[in-house]
Amino acid sequence: MTYAEGLKKGLSLSFFREFSEETMREAAAAGIDCAELSFSYDYYTNGIDFPKNAARYGKIARDAGLSVWSLHLPFSGMLDISNENPQLRSITLYTNKTLIRAAAEAGAQTIVLHPSSEPIEDDRRAERMRLSRDGICQLVEECRACGLTLAVENLPRTCLCRTSGEMADLLEGTGACAVFDTNHALTEDNIHFIDTLTARGIRIASLHISDYGPDAAGVLDERHRLPGDGINRWNELLAALERHGYTGPLMYEVSKKPRDREELPLAAVAANMRDLAAGRLA
């Protein structure tokens, strides 16, 4: 058995864009072990009223054969812990704390957080880092009180945590871990990114797995394609995670209809998970 074959297989429910008994059963039947809840603020609150029904949704997942590994907090230009508008930032932190408590009731282990939205101008970056770090510290305490781990995601373009050095600077001393997204590093090699976090003492608690590459004009950006359909060197990346001591799931965050690609059936995603874990995707 390879290192990766010993890890659980996970899927972000952003793939389905809904939570239902049917989608949970479908995922479990495909061989997926765990799920990440990942929805918009509107869907969490108005679509499924997650704060009031979290325990029931956790039971639905477990009864279908899935564990709830993580909850991705909603994000937008307004729902941003680095927002310089005090009122909007306060609303964001209140919303996040409410969902953290609900996630614990659903049986989740990990909370996924975006450290910012974008765009961020260079002359505002230091202040946005300060605000984000303060918010992270508050949410770490909320997670600890609920028995959960807060994991901050690396992000692309002008967002915070676009480089490993900036991510380590933001997280050092906060008690937060990292979520490493394999399709967000646009200016730095992914293996270097992981090794830098390791060297700086930042633990990777979870992953967002997908592939990416340049478009026809040569612009590199996130694509959320299946592994193997992009530029990632998967066996090297998995070796870096093994060096790091990563023990969380292989959590896929792929689009059902990636940009410039055909719609993906769940069976193709599950088969890709098996190929990745077995080392068949170079």
Side-chain angles (χ1 to χ4, degrees), residues 121-181:
E121 302 297 332
D122 287 345
D123 64 347
R124 303 310 306 162
R125 200 162 193 86
E127 177 63 6
R128 296 286 287 273
M129 284 277 285
R130 185 189 71 80
L131 291 168
S132 183
R133 183 180 174 88
D134 176 80
I136 288 167
C137 289
Q138 291 188 49
L139 297 180
V140 164
E141 290 305 311
E142 191 70 36
C143 284
R144 282 176 177 164
C146 295
L148 303 177
T149 296
L150 183 71
V152 177
E153 184 176 354
N154 61 303
L155 296 177
R157 298 176 299 272
T158 68
C159 296
L160 300 183
C161 293
R162 63 184 177 181
T163 67
S164 58
E166 183 174 81
M167 189 168 197
D169 288 344
L170 182 64
L171 298 186
E172 275 182 333
T174 65
C177 296
V179 174
F180 185 69
D181 189 305

Side-chain angles (χ1 to χ4, degrees), residues 54 69 71 73 94-111 138-150:
W69 167 258
L71 180 142
L73 294 169
Y94 175 83
T95 298
N96 287 347
K97 291 175 182 179
T98 299
L99 287 170
I100 286 168
R101 292 190 289 272
E105 292 182 18
Q109 300 180 48
T110 305
I111 297 295
Q138 291 188 49
L139 297 180
V140 164
E141 290 305 311
E142 191 70 36
C143 284
R144 282 176 177 164
C146 295
L148 303 177
T149 296
L150 183 71

Side-chain angles (χ1 to χ4, degrees), residues 10-11 16 23 34 45 63 120 168 174 195 228 238 244:
L11 180 66
F16 297 112
T23 54
C34 59
T45 56
D63 287 349
I120 298 177
T174 65
D195 286 341
L238 289 171
H244 184 88

